[in-house]
Amino acid sequence: MRLKSSGPEETAAIGFRLGSMLRPGDIVGLYGDLGAGKTTLVKGIASALGVDSRDVTSASYTIIAEYPVDPPFVHADLYRLGGSDDVENTGLWDYIGKDSISVIEWAEKLGEAPPCKLIRVCLEDKGNDMREITIEGMDEKDRCSL
Ligand code: ADP
Ligand code: MG
């Protein structure tokens, strides 16, 4: 599924709609360059899950943040990590999956074959405030469409 966003509010709104469809155990991998809008999308997802979007930050120092909502929401940002070996050392896999809903920025760092099934969301800067957002792996047949 390919969507267009023409501003940060629209990206957050797409995140909100996506967040409303997620289920416990879902893991969303976000791909895209710095400034593509990943954190903006996460804020929308978080608010759909009952987390105050102001609490969601670019996580420059926290690699993993867990929010005590039901189901628990986990936001990871792998930007500062080197690659999949570093990812192993964070203990990321102890936090995600299970009954949580997890979102991972810089999912590129998980390597070619992530060790879990991901809903993949790619964000691409198309100039000015335009972004192209591609979502794959949502099992669209049993969820209503965005
Ligand atoms: P990332 O987490 O991918 O590095 P952020 O969400 O932190 O990106 O930042 C995106 C930046 O781009 C913000 O400054 C935001 O205001 C700006 N921006 C402009 N247009 C958009 C858009 N359509 N969607 C998301 N962010 C946008
Ligand atoms: Mg970010």
Side-chain angles (χ1 to χ4, degrees), residues 110-138:
L110 297 174
E112 292 279 297
C116 53
K117 189 169 173 289
L118 294 178
I119 295 167
R120 292 171 180 265
V121 180
C122 304
L123 295 99
E124 199 180 330
D125 190 335
K126 292 294 191 184
N128 299 321
D129 288 350
M130 295 299 297
R131 302 289 188 272
E132 188 171 85
I133 301 173
T134 312
I135 303 173
E136 290 171 11
M138 273 291 278

Side-chain angles (χ1 to χ4, degrees), residues 38-39 58 77 105-106:
K38 299 180 294 300
T39 302
S58 288
D77 188 331
E105 291 191 51
W106 292 98

Side-chain angles (χ1 to χ4, degrees), residues 58-71:
S58 288
S60 0
Y61 296 100
T62 358
I63 292 168
I64 304 168
E66 193 175 23
Y67 299 87
V69 284
D70 183 23

Side-chain angles (χ1 to χ4, degrees), residues 35-79:
K38 299 180 294 300
T39 302
T40 304
L41 190 87
V42 175
K43 285 174 178 282
I45 295 175
S47 38
L49 299 173
V51 174
D52 187 334
S53 62
R54 289 169 299 187
D55 292 343
V56 175
T57 61
S58 288
S60 0
Y61 296 100
T62 358
I63 292 168
I64 304 168
E66 193 175 23
Y67 299 87
V69 284
D70 183 23
F73 176 62
V74 177
H75 174 208
D77 188 331
L78 310 183
Y79 179 56

